[in-house]
Amino acid sequence: MSGYVEIFEVGPRDGLQNEERRIGAAEKIALVDCLSRAGFRRIECASFVSARWVPQMADSDKVLAGIARAPGVSYAALTPNMKGFEAAMAAGADEVAIFGAASESFSRANINASIAESLDRFRPVAEAATARGVKLRGYISCVVECPYEGAVAPEAVARVAAELRDMGCYEISLGDTIGRGVPEAVDAMLVAVLEEIEPARLAGHYHDTGKRALENIEVSLARGLRVFDAAVGGLGGCPYAPGAEGNVATEAVAARLAELGYETGLDMGVLEEAAAMARALRG
Ligand code: HMG
Ligand code: MG
């Protein structure tokens, strides 16, 4: 195998959002700056959600204001609604993401809306992003398993993916939120989604609770995906997904991709430095 595979670094957002210890903006900024030096093209480092729901992300504007922006790097933010979108624009986010789910119970628990209601909230965000020329990414949570409902039908994922595509998402990231997905289930989900969307517009976002995330990445590579989300140091978990552990660790993904013959463009030495920094932030 050969070719370029991009790791979309989500550690400063997905990795830190669930940490109990309140981490100061300066520490977050130091981590993002180290990640910029490691060679990532996209780093998710902010989330403009309710501070009551996710207190750890309440200083996202300070983080975006304090980082040393590396040329060509896109600094990304989550924006669940127009309030979040406007805050992200004011703070200087380069791109934004709307985040839905393939399971009704998780959608309610995470963003207090049914799937249909969430899509209605996303539409104005998508229109505003398009009007301003801001890149819009989409996430789907619970693409294989829901913490409340169990197995999720691949067709349910494909339906939400098609909606996000129609809203203008340039890429849709498929989240195994609780990290319980096995390669067979991930593969079956991908088959359904690929009937709607070409692999170049998909990303794999696999948490690693069941320790199968690297295998899930391999089945996704075989289906043509070339972007994977990961969090440096394996940080993370979603506050509204009980039992979810960290994201797959960026350094483990980078090492596996190198073994498989793919290029990531990352400086492994700086990445190790960032991983040590991330682990030290953990409460
Ligand atoms: P709601 O309560 O339905 O919203 O929450 P609301 O419109 O009724 O507003 C309630 C209060 O929130 C109001 O404040 C609003 O101003 C405020 P009050 O008047 O009571 O003082 N509010 C906001 N504040 C800041 N920023 C905003 C915003 N919107 C409303 N954007 C809402 C709806 C979506 C806001 C809420 O449910 C929420 O913030 N949820 C957070 C969910 C979250 O961040 N989850 C983790 C990220 S998703 C994830 O990790 C999964 C992913 O990694 C993929 C995977 O692994 O599967 C992406
Ligand atoms: Mg996640």
Side-chain angles (χ1 to χ4, degrees), residues 46-279:
S47 180
F48 292 94
V49 298
S50 159
R52 263 197 286 135
W53 287 61
V54 187
Q56 186 66 261
M57 290 288 110
D59 58 0
S60 286
D61 54 343
K62 292 195 185 69
V63 173
L64 280 168
I67 56 177
R69 288 169 185 257
V73 178
S74 181
Y75 296 93
L78 292 191
T79 55
N81 52 23
M82 279 309 290
K83 186 171 174 133
F85 178 75
E86 276 151 17
M89 291 301 95
D94 295 312
E95 65 175 270
V96 296
I98 47 181
F99 51 102
S103 100
E104 288 290 349
S105 312
F106 183 80
S107 184
R108 285 225 168 269
N110 194 44
I111 50 175
N112 201 25
S114 68
I115 295 173
E117 285 163 352
S118 75
L119 296 171
D120 286 342
R121 287 185 192 172
F122 297 155
R123 245 169 234 115
V125 176
E127 280 162 17
T130 307
R132 290 179 67 141
V134 175
K135 285 177 84 179
L136 176 76
R137 198 173 192 240
Y139 280 101
I140 306 174
S141 286
C142 301
V143 296
V144 281
E145 289 252 353
C146 166
Y148 311 104
E149 293 178 23
V152 171
E155 295 67 33
V157 186
R159 272 196 301 274
V160 178
E163 295 271 5
L164 295 178
R165 174 205 56 207
D166 292 347
M167 279 185 215
C169 291
Y170 76 93
E171 184 172 279
I172 294 161
S173 176
L174 301 165
D176 177 14
T177 313
I178 57 171
R180 295 268 171 216
V182 296
E184 298 72 23
V186 169
D187 199 49
M189 177 275 297
L190 289 174
V191 168
V193 174
L194 287 165
E195 286 195 13
E196 291 285 349
I197 298 170
E198 68 268 35
R201 283 181 71 178
L202 296 173
H205 177 109
Y206 305 137
H207 288 250
D208 203 19
T209 318
K211 304 292 170 233
R212 309 294 299 272
L214 292 175
E215 289 171 75
N216 292 337
I217 287 175
E218 286 196 37
V219 298
S220 308
L221 285 165
R223 291 281 175 198
L225 276 66
R226 291 295 179 269
V227 178
F228 297 97
D229 300 353
V232 70
L235 292 177
C238 173
Y240 298 100
E245 279 192 24
N247 291 79
V248 66
T250 307
E251 56 279 17
V253 178
R256 177 65 60 90
L257 288 170
E259 273 164 36
L260 295 170
Y262 293 102
E263 307 211 349
T264 59
L266 297 173
D267 180 322
M268 300 299 244
V270 182
L271 185 56
E272 236 355 283
E273 206 185 302
M277 211 182 241
R279 286 191 293 265

